Amino acid sequence: MGKGITRRDFLKTTAVGIAGAGLASFPFESVAQKGVPDLPIKPEKGAAIRVLRWSVFVQGDKDLWDKNTKKWEETTGCKVMTEYISWEDVRPKAAMAASVGAGHDMVLGWHDDPHLYPDKLVDMTDLANYLGKKYGGWEAVCPKYAINPKTGRWIAIPMGGPVNCINYRESWVKEAGYEKPPGEVYEFIKMCKKLKANGHPPGFALGHAVGDGNNWTHQWLWTFGGKCVDKDGNVVINSPQTWAALEAVKELYDTLIPGTASWLDPHNNKAFLSGEISATTNGISIYFAAKKDFPEIAKDMNHVNMPIGPVKRPTELHLFNQAFIFKYSKFPNACKHYIKFMLEEEQAAPWINAMIGYVGPSLKAYKNLPIWTSDPKITPFRDCIANMLWNGYEGPEGVASAAAMAEYIVVDLIGDACVRGKSPKEAAQIAEQRLLRYYKKKTPKKG
Amino acid sequence: MENRNFLGFLLVFPAEAILLIFLAYPFVLGLWLGFTDTVIGRKGEFIGFANYASLLQDSTFWLATYNTFLYTIVAVFFKALLGFMLAIVLNRDFKAKGLMRAIILLPWIIPTALSAIAFWWLYDSTFSAISWTLMKTSLMSHRIDFLGDPTNARLSLIVANVWRGIPFFTIGLLAGLQTIDPTLYEAAAIDGAGSWKRFRRITLPLILPLMAVITTFSTIWTFGDFQLVWVITKGGPANATHLFGTLSFQRAIPGGHFGEGAAISNFILPILVICVLATFKFLRRED
């Protein structure tokens, strides 16, 4: 996740981005499905809604979000009070509101948040259906994140996610004999070996990095067919597929720059921009920081989606953002109307454009916006949400999946195998024991 | 207002109220939460000692216990040793004594979050100034992996904690040293005591009660440390640097298990109580 230097860099670069890519592309062709009947929602008169959302990584996000909000206020005569807080603090604050039954009316939260208190959220099914119909349908992962499995009703509206790709240096990858990083995982490891031999090792975060660590390690495990739990939440991590993933990742780890076991979220950004590493996984933030301060690197870098292993389909994980409304709110309709308004093309298109590829859309039609092809280096980020699975795959969303991620069980699994010399089976056993603390009630009976 | 007791109560009330609301209530709530299965967004039920029993089965918890004791014992030992040595040096007469004493306080004054960020950069796997200097001066051929290796990471955090904690010992002990009557030293010198003997027989016994109090305070703070570790490693690599404080936070807030997080915090309590009682007993013996 590009925080720290990169966020500040965004502040400055997005202005250029909007002027260049964003505004130049207007007026654009409509991406909405024609003839979809409108969903009438009547905001409560004089509603004043309090919104809790994550503080932006990209200044363009805030600019356009606030601008659209103002537009909504003018249209409806209602008021919005938006509180921006650090993205990691949204969960406890929203949970507090849920448990005391007072506070923000609406939250833009992360991953499993709605499944921590599903009974306290307003039904969004009608809005989800309407938006889905009008904008080309939801990406496959969305229902898993937004539908309460017990009732089959939508309890949140997916807003998209700040997504990751492989960021790489073109010249060094070419020097290693590749046009671009291979999409097959073993070929990818081969390329990394060559990169290292040429003195340009890659680097992937293996410390307790909330975004950058969790995302690529889950993807790696899943692409070999390994997973923490099955559909019913039984722990199945100690499997031949997991061992294979660990064997392979050990090979990958041998090619990495030393020290990745200590990397937190900002490390790879710094290492990439200083020319220490040839490839990493990150959001588009590095590219925009490079554009501003290191034009040579920006010219020489590019992105591809994560490599795919034996399961032969994408299994990515990205931060995933959704909007949900608390039942205790006095203004549920105003909130719903607000979300609808923000995701309608007139508002959403300029908003997505202003973020220049940072947040991948959850509604398929928004992949057709010109921003995604305005610079070919942005294009891979467009498909990330379509390529992703959900946190806690293949089990249900909830307290257990949230806790397992917060405990870095998968990051540590990879770290145990790579850094701390555990055999794949030992590492998988450790992870199994740790997972059983959260999924313990559903342990499969042996025999 | 005639009643002195009532007036006394009235005057003390604001302070008492603040203590009750902001200290006693959260403290009792934390104790209570440790006996419930509260998870984020849901009210918990009383489950007795189940959290504690489950923690005793948890290898991560044991690792954090080991880390916490190692961190506390090693860090407090070196803080006490180096702090005492520094205090003795500063107790002598030399030029710019006042300035030196002020400078010594700096690590203590700087907010921990800031000094933690400074150490985070010093320990960076790629951009560490320490590694850079050693490589530039050809003393090393490769960068040091300060935080990626479990042993190095523990050591690095202890060094950072010692750096931060020395001034507390130095200033505290320096104040103590200055209260020692110089005539004692003069009398001992006349009787033929050398400097080691004077230190052993006069300085040490007189400073020991103060040392015990300062060490107790330092132990309490080191045992409950959070910021330094959370900023520099977030408990990584592979939980090798998790302390009770960081593990408790991780489980309770991002992990959503309030009950379990509180239970981890509560483990700190009996240990600190023992620590304080031991100090009191020692002090009473001294009397």
Side-chain angles (χ1 to χ4, degrees):
Chain A
M1 178 60 47
K3 291 186 289 176
I5 50 163
T6 49
R7 204 181 306 168
R8 221 172 308 129
D9 294 332
F10 258 126
L11 219 138
K12 291 157 191 162
T13 45
T14 37
V16 184
I18 297 166
L23 295 182
S25 58
F26 287 114
F28 50 84
E29 262 180 64
S30 173
V31 294
Q33 181 78 32
K34 288 189 182 71
V36 176
D38 188 35
L39 172 73
I41 304 174
K42 213 168 171 264
E44 294 81 358
K45 216 173 167 204
I49 59 176
R50 285 166 298 173
V51 179
L52 180 68
R53 74 157 284 185
W54 46 296
S55 61
V56 295
F57 302 129
V58 193
Q59 188 57 32
D61 174 2
K62 185 170 191 297
D63 293 344
L64 264 290
W65 184 266
D66 288 349
K67 196 175 152 198
N68 288 339
T69 300
K70 204 157 173 253
K71 211 162 125 192
W72 182 77
E73 288 179 330
E74 281 158 10
T75 318
T76 58
C78 302
K79 278 261 162 271
V80 180
M81 285 157 284
T82 315
E83 186 187 350
Y84 288 93
I85 62 171
S86 167
W87 69 284
E88 288 159 300
D89 297 332
V90 173
R91 168 164 295 174
K93 212 157 183 183
M96 188 50 70
S99 53
V100 300
H104 297 90
D105 300 274
M106 181 189 134
V107 176
L108 272 81
W110 298 104
H111 279 310
D112 337 64
D113 280 342
H115 298 274
L116 301 179
Y117 27 76
D119 308 337
K120 297 181 175 165
L121 302 178
V122 170
D123 188 306
M124 301 284 229
T125 311
D126 50 351
L127 180 56
N129 287 341
Y130 161 79
L131 288 169
K133 261 185 217 147
K134 190 163 176 186
Y135 296 105
W138 295 99
E139 293 293 359
V141 76
C142 296
K144 193 70 201 175
Y145 265 121
I147 291 180
N148 179 359
K150 276 189 198 141
T151 59
R153 311 291 293 175
W154 291 67
I155 48 174
I157 295 293
M159 305 297 286
V163 288
N164 280 10
C165 282
I166 298 279
N167 297 222
Y168 69 97
R169 294 287 290 267
E170 282 181 325
S171 59
W172 290 338
V173 165
K174 279 201 180 112
E175 186 193 10
Y178 295 85
E179 195 51 39
K180 59 177 187 176
E184 199 280 324
V185 78
Y186 286 107
E187 283 297 318
F188 185 82
I189 297 173
K190 264 190 211 162
M191 177 200 69
C192 292
K193 285 181 180 167
K194 288 182 184 151
L195 285 170
K196 192 203 176 184
N198 292 340
H200 303 299
F204 303 106
L206 264 180
H208 283 179
V210 190
D212 289 339
N214 272 315
N215 290 344
W216 86 267
T217 50
H218 278 85
Q219 187 270 341
W220 190 274
L221 175 69
W222 293 338
T223 204
F224 283 85
K227 56 197 169 196
C228 291
V229 289
D230 66 10
K231 276 193 185 118
D232 303 318
N234 301 313
V235 176
V236 292
I237 187 80
N238 198 357
S239 67
Q241 289 85 351
T242 303
W243 307 334
L246 295 179
E247 289 292 356
V249 82
K250 272 169 120 164
E251 275 189 63
L252 177 79
Y253 178 73
D254 288 338
T255 72
L256 302 185
I257 191 172
T260 49
S262 68
W263 280 14
L264 302 183
D265 287 280
H267 271 103
N268 58 347
N269 300 50
K270 294 186 292 178
F272 194 96
L273 288 172
S274 66
E276 295 284 337
I277 54 171
S278 54
T280 190
T281 58
N282 204 72
I284 203 166
S285 52
I286 294 182
Y287 178 52
F288 282 96
K291 264 184 151 178
K292 181 181 158 278
D293 289 328
F294 308 92
E296 289 305 307
I297 293 182
K299 230 184 274 169
D300 186 40
M301 72 180 286
N302 209 336
H303 309 98
V304 287
N305 293 111
M306 303 294 292
I308 294 173
V311 301
K312 300 209 181 319
R313 64 188 169 94
T315 57
E316 296 173 12
L317 179 71
H318 306 283
L319 291 176
F320 193 82
N321 190 244
Q322 9 195 17
F324 47 89
I325 305 165
F326 286 115
K327 276 185 186 159
Y328 63 68
S329 167
K330 284 182 200 147
F331 313 111
N333 290 334
C335 291
K336 224 175 195 179
H337 189 273
Y338 176 56
I339 298 172
K340 174 178 176 246
F341 181 86
M342 297 300 260
L343 282 179
E344 293 279 14
E345 187 173 14
E346 294 76 19
Q347 287 69 244
W351 176 53
I352 293 168
N353 279 341
M355 293 187 287
I356 351 168
Y358 202 95
V359 174
S362 49
L363 284 160
K364 289 178 184 168
Y366 288 132
K367 291 195 291 193
N368 301 329
L369 291 175
I371 182 73
W372 298 110
T373 43
S374 64
D375 176 350
K377 293 184 182 184
I378 298 178
T379 312
F381 291 93
R382 175 190 63 190
D383 306 318
C384 287
I385 298 283
N387 290 344
M388 81 180 278
L389 299 173
W390 61 95
N391 177 40
Y393 167 82
E394 185 183 19
E397 290 282 289
V399 180
S401 60
M405 180 184 262
E407 280 278 295
Y408 300 97
I409 292 177
V410 174
V411 178
D412 290 348
L413 167 75
I414 305 272
D416 275 336
C418 294
V419 192
R420 287 168 291 281
K422 303 265 187 242
S423 74
K425 283 184 187 174
E426 285 171 331
Q429 267 168 10
I430 296 172
E432 184 180 37
Q433 281 163 7
R434 296 179 66 188
L435 284 164
L436 283 172
R437 292 181 54 75
Y438 299 109
Y439 291 98
K440 53 191 160 190
K441 281 171 195 155
K442 290 174 183 167
T443 323
K445 285 188 185 76
K446 281 182 185 151
Chain B
M1 284 298 151
E2 290 300 307
N3 187 334
R4 282 181 65 87
N5 283 340
F6 180 73
L7 183 66
F9 173 78
L10 210 65
L11 291 174
V12 168
F13 180 74
E16 290 283 345
I18 287 171
L19 279 179
L20 274 177
I21 295 168
F22 294 107
L23 217 69
Y25 171 68
F27 178 74
V28 174
L29 185 66
L31 280 180
W32 164 249
L33 277 176
F35 291 101
T36 68
D37 59 356
T38 310
V39 290
I40 215 157
R42 228 178 287 160
K43 274 211 175 70
E45 307 263 317
F46 179 77
I47 52 165
F49 283 91
N51 280 331
Y52 300 91
S54 130
L55 280 172
L56 294 178
Q57 308 281 326
D58 174 20
S59 57
T60 311
F61 172 75
W62 281 111
L63 187 61
T65 310
Y66 168 76
N67 293 336
T68 311
F69 274 93
L70 181 84
Y71 184 75
T72 309
I73 293 169
V74 178
V76 171
F77 175 77
F78 279 103
K79 278 190 275 193
L81 185 73
L82 297 172
F84 193 22
M85 282 159 67
L86 208 56
I88 292 170
V89 172
L90 287 178
N91 195 31
R92 294 173 168 245
D93 236 355
F94 59 92
K95 252 190 186 170
K97 191 171 57 178
L99 184 71
M100 282 310 287
R101 285 180 188 172
I103 289 174
I104 290 298
L105 265 179
L106 277 180
W108 184 253
I109 296 167
I110 299 169
T112 313
L114 288 185
S115 49
I117 289 172
F119 271 101
W120 185 59
W121 275 100
L122 280 178
Y123 293 150
D124 191 287
S125 60
T126 320
F127 302 102
S128 163
I130 302 169
S131 291
W132 183 84
T133 313
L134 290 173
M135 282 168 74
K136 280 279 163 193
T137 50
S138 306
L139 287 169
M140 283 196 85
S141 58
H142 59 89
R143 298 190 181 91
I144 305 170
D145 189 6
F146 286 103
L147 302 173
D149 172 79
T151 313
N152 286 359
R154 287 181 185 130
L155 213 68
S156 304
L157 286 176
I158 289 173
V159 169
N161 182 279
V162 168
W163 174 85
R164 188 183 140 66
I166 285 178
F168 178 65
F169 275 91
T170 306
I171 297 301
L173 294 175
L174 185 61
L177 287 175
Q178 286 177 340
T179 60
I180 298 177
D181 190 347
T183 54
L184 287 175
Y185 290 111
E186 285 162 20
I190 291 166
D191 286 346
S195 58
W196 169 246
K197 214 156 200 182
R198 278 186 308 223
F199 172 76
R200 202 39 208 88
R201 300 282 175 192
I202 301 173
T203 315
L204 210 55
L206 286 174
I207 208 77
L208 226 50
L210 184 62
M211 183 71 135
V213 174
I214 295 176
T215 308
T216 308
F217 272 101
S218 179
T219 307
I220 292 171
W221 289 328
T222 314
F223 212 83
D225 201 0
F226 172 81
Q227 296 180 62
L228 204 63
V229 176
W230 195 252
V231 172
I232 297 178
T233 64
K234 282 215 159 83
N239 306 319
T241 59
H242 256 311
L243 305 181
F244 280 151
T246 52
L247 188 67
S248 160
F249 177 81
Q250 180 178 295
R251 294 243 162 117
I253 306 299
H257 287 68
F258 280 136
E260 196 181 313
I264 296 172
S265 283
N266 292 347
F267 265 100
I268 302 178
L269 198 66
I271 294 158
L272 293 186
V273 169
I274 292 169
C275 199
V276 172
L277 288 181
T279 316
F280 277 145
K281 201 165 175 204
F282 173 81
L283 287 180
R284 227 173 286 145
R285 202 189 61 195
E286 286 293 309
D287 290 342

